[in-house]
Amino acid sequence: MDFTLGYLREALSNYDRSSVCKRITNKLTNGKFHTELDFVRILEEDEIQFLNNVLPDEIKYAFNEQDFIRGNQLNEVYELLL
């Protein structure tokens, strides 16, 4: 799995009670994606909205913890959603 999508899957583990999050995680786990864009293209509208809601907080947290690699990787996915 792509490192960026691995960071995303890890971040989503904080939200695994949501059915939308579970669907996203299943897609990450079972899909074969060559790029982040390939992954984003298969998302449904409610999944995109979910990620748009949680990723800013996850990115902010990563940067506050000075985990710049993680923050930048999550930001890559976030930018593709817009």
Side-chain angles (χ1 to χ4, degrees):
M1 176 183 290
D2 178 277
F3 284 114
T4 302
L5 296 179
Y7 282 117
L8 177 60
R9 192 166 103 187
E10 181 182 341
L12 291 176
S13 68
N14 297 318
Y15 305 91
D16 64 359
R17 292 184 180 167
S18 161
S19 64
V20 175
C21 182
K22 287 178 184 178
R23 286 195 333 253
I24 297 169
T25 302
N26 281 339
K27 288 178 181 183
L28 283 168
T29 302
N30 299 320
K32 303 286 187 222
F33 307 106
H34 296 285
T35 67
E36 296 83 18
L37 185 58
D38 291 340
F39 169 70
V40 169
R41 285 182 175 158
I42 62 124
L43 294 175
E44 297 174 25
E45 189 60 39
D46 62 336
E47 295 166 340
I48 291 170
Q49 185 62 39
F50 178 85
L51 291 174
N52 279 331
N53 287 333
V54 301
L55 279 177
D57 291 336
E58 291 297 319
I59 293 165
K60 182 178 177 181
Y61 178 80
F63 284 127
N64 285 341
E65 295 296 313
Q66 297 184 356
D67 189 347
F68 301 112
I69 294 172
R70 178 186 175 93
N72 287 325
Q73 297 293 312
L74 292 174
N75 192 57
E76 282 184 31
V77 175
Y78 183 62
E79 287 178 353
L80 291 172
L81 296 170
L82 301 178

